[in-house]
Structures are given as structure tokens and as C-alpha cells.
Amino acid sequence: MSEPVPDRAQVRAILIATLRRATRGTGTAGHRGKPRGLVFLLFTYGVMGLLLGLLPFAGTDVFTFSLVIWSATLMMTGMTMVAESSTLLFDPRDNDILGHRPIHPRTLLAARSLGLIALALVLGLALNIVPMFTGLFARGSRAWFPIAHLATLPVTAVFCAGTVVFVYALLARLVSRRAFDTIASWTQVGISVVLVVSYQLVPRLMDRLGTFRLDSAHPVLLTLPPTWFAALSLVLLGIDTGTQALALAVAAVVVTVALAWSANRFLAEGYARQIAALGEASVPEQSARRSRPRREAPSRIGTLLGALIPDPIERGAFRLTRAYLARDRDMRMRIYPSLALVAVFP
């Protein structure tokens, strides 16, 4: 009798180890192992949720409020998922630790996906803890708004993490190891841009509608995922049970389940193969030509750099940083999306 795939015991063990590493690693933990970085991130999300939670006191209706909250949730958690995917989803150390063990690719991908979902759920809860209750004061709200809002949150978290997993697992299946590093970095930039632009479009489209209702919403607005989750909240509240609202609510659930299932079912093999490739050393094609050091000819950039940074130690540090930004995979996957935000918001 064959073992079930994915293996639940292995998924649980890998998931626990992943969450411990994520909260105790150098990026999120302090000197005593306390997850200070994660606590600060949760505090930042809580402050943002507090500010957004004040919207009902300005006379905002329940649909508009839900739409803005889910837009912010998808954007902020999506940005974190994109940044953390380099360690929680594609960690080159996985090949050294797990590569020799009898772990099915679907089991590994399921564990990593659950880790991202758990992080998205925690961050989403931190952002929504205040709006969950202030939504009671929105126009047209019901007494069970916190329950309906809380029930929609897991679907949103799974959608956010599932989208990131699906995109990167598909990318891992289609391209080689060398191309994956470059494409993954720029894909994260693209995802960041799309998330920020979508978040900017939602309030501007709503502002032009006048009546913030689903039946009068702009067609472009109806294609954005935040509208689906806002419709799901309204359906759970019993405020809007029309055909359009039900269709959007069903789309939120169906698309979420389809993304998570298809990534684990069809893309796990390519994901495991890419993990193994990332753990291997990459030898440049022209390494033989560069075996002997040679004196580089002076260039205009070198001359300009020497004029701007006359200190040779500072100039060397600048060049080392530039090399890291151009060649180090983890550095690119964390810095490039952040730089994209700076360019997109203005």
C-alpha cells in the first residue's frame, strides 16, 4: 500500500521547523532569540489597521470599507510574501538538509506553502484586528460584522500565499536554474508593482462611482480580487445576495482553492528540481577566461567613481555592494521589490 501524498507527518514536521527558523533567524530575531523583527512588523501592521479602521467614522458604507481593508490586506501581506519567499519558499539550504531524505516534492511544497499561509494569516490578523470591530459603525453594517470579516480573512490569506506559490512554482518548472535567479527577482518587482498599482486604483475607481455599491461598480473594479473578498463579506453579512455578489464571492473561494490545489498537484516536481539546483554551486561560463587576474582598463565610470569617492576603501565597499546587488539572489529578491515601491508610489 502506497504512502499518502503529501505525507501529513512530514508536512507537520517541516512546517514546524520552517516556522521556528522564520521566527528565530537573524532576520527576525534578536540576540536572545526573540522575534523582534516579526513583533515590529506586526506592530506596523496593527498601526496601519488602526488608521484604516477610522474610515467608518467618516460615514463610509460597509462595502467601501471592506473593499479598502481587503485591498490593504492583499497589498501589505503580498509584499511580505514576495520578500519572504526567498527564504520560506526557495531556500538553497533545503537541498543540503532535506535533499537526501525520502520526501515527496508535493510534501515539501505543501509544507512550504502552509508556512507562507501561516505568515499571511498572522499579518492579516494584525492588520484587521481593529477594522474587524470598527466595521460595526459603517453604514449598513450588521451586528455580526466581526464574525463575517474574520471568516473572510483565511480565504484572503490562502489566496495571497497561493498566488505567490503558484507564480514561483510555475516559474521554477519553466526555466533553468541560472535563468530562475534573474527572472525571480524581476518577477517580484512586477508583483510589487501590480499590488501597489491595484491598491492605488481601488480608491480612485470608487471615488468616481458616487454610489459605492456592487451593482453600480466599474467593470475594472469587479476584476480586482479585493472586490471578490468584499463581496464575500457582504454575502456572509446577508447585505447583498444578488447574482453579481454571489458570483464574485464564489470566484474568491474557487480561485483561491484552484491556485493552491493546482500548484501542489502539477508544479511540485519543478519546484523540487529548482530547490536542488539552487543548492548547487553555479560556475560562470567564462570562468576559464577569468582564471588569471588582469588589469582592467580605466573607464569613464571608473574615473567618475574615483572622483566621487576618492577614498579607496569606500570605493571598494561601493563596488562590493554593487556586486551583491547584481549577483546575490537573496539580496536581489529583497531589495529590488522595495526599490520598486519607491518608483511606483510617486
Side-chain angles (χ1 to χ4, degrees):
M1 183 176 180
S2 61
E3 296 292 334
V5 177
D7 186 280
R8 294 184 179 179
Q10 290 183 344
V11 168
R12 183 167 56 253
I14 297 174
L15 175 61
I16 293 174
T18 300
L19 295 179
R20 285 178 177 174
R21 186 179 65 184
T23 55
R24 297 180 183 178
T26 56
T28 56
H31 295 290
R32 298 182 180 178
K34 297 180 180 179
R36 297 178 181 176
L38 182 59
V39 171
F40 177 76
L41 188 62
L42 294 177
F43 175 77
T44 303
Y45 275 59
V47 172
M48 179 63 70
L50 176 63
L51 297 176
L52 294 174
L54 299 176
L55 288 176
F57 301 101
T60 307
D61 64 90
V62 65
F63 169 67
T64 304
F65 178 67
S66 297
L67 188 56
V68 171
I69 293 299
W70 294 128
S71 299
T73 302
L74 286 175
M75 188 200 75
M76 296 187 68
T77 56
M79 288 297 303
T80 305
M81 294 299 99
V82 167
E84 294 298 327
S85 62
S86 59
T87 53
L88 292 181
L89 194 59
F90 288 100
D91 193 339
R93 295 174 294 180
D94 284 347
N95 187 53
D96 298 331
I97 301 173
L98 304 175
H100 63 286
R101 299 182 182 272
I103 300 176
H104 196 278
R106 289 177 59 186
T107 299
L108 180 60
L109 182 58
R112 291 291 182 253
S113 301
L114 288 175
L116 282 177
I117 291 173
L119 180 59
L121 190 58
V122 171
L123 295 176
L125 184 61
L127 180 64
N128 286 270
I129 191 68
V130 173
M132 188 186 307
F133 295 99
T134 58
L136 291 169
F137 300 95
R139 284 190 294 108
S141 183
R142 303 285 174 85
W144 53 92
F145 179 87
I147 299 176
H149 196 80
L150 185 62
T152 310
L153 180 59
V155 185
T156 309
V158 174
F159 174 84
C160 187
T163 302
V164 174
V165 171
F166 181 85
V167 170
Y168 284 124
L170 180 63
L171 186 62
R173 182 185 180 91
L174 297 178
V175 302
S176 63
R177 185 259 191 219
R178 184 171 300 174
F180 177 81
D181 283 348
T182 302
I183 298 178
S185 302
W186 289 108
T187 300
Q188 289 196 186
V189 175
I191 293 176
S192 302
V193 171
V194 170
L195 288 172
V196 174
V197 171
S198 299
Y199 181 67
Q200 295 293 313
L201 283 177
V202 167
R204 283 159 178 77
L205 288 174
M206 290 192 306
D207 187 56
R208 298 183 63 181
L209 295 177
T211 55
F212 304 144
R213 300 288 300 175
L214 278 169
D215 54 2
S216 63
H218 194 281
V220 176
L221 188 62
L222 297 177
T223 63
L224 297 177
T227 311
W228 308 346
F229 299 106
L232 180 59
S233 296
L234 262 64
V235 170
L236 293 177
L237 284 171
I239 295 176
D240 192 345
T241 56
T243 304
Q244 191 174 65
L246 289 174
L248 292 174
V250 170
V253 177
V254 171
V255 173
T256 299
V257 174
L259 282 173
W261 179 82
S262 58
N264 186 268
R265 182 65 180 84
F266 299 110
L267 303 176
E269 294 290 342
Y271 167 77
R273 185 169 56 252
Q274 198 64 253
I275 287 292
L278 289 174
E280 299 173 355
S282 177
V283 181
E285 295 179 353
Q286 299 179 351
S287 58
R289 301 179 183 179
R290 300 177 181 177
S291 58
R292 291 181 297 177
R294 61 185 179 87
R295 184 181 181 87
E296 294 184 358
S299 62
R300 294 181 179 178
I301 297 180
T303 304
L304 179 61
L305 190 61
L308 295 176
I309 311 178
D311 190 305
I313 298 179
E314 295 179 354
R315 189 163 60 248
F318 176 84
R319 287 175 173 169
L320 179 61
T321 305
R322 186 178 62 180
Y324 267 111
L325 290 175
R327 301 175 185 177
D328 186 81
R329 170 181 162 273
D330 187 64
M331 183 74 71
R332 292 201 309 265
M333 295 181 76
R334 290 181 179 274
I335 297 297
Y336 286 8
S338 301
L339 296 179
L341 286 179
V342 179
V344 172
F345 263 118

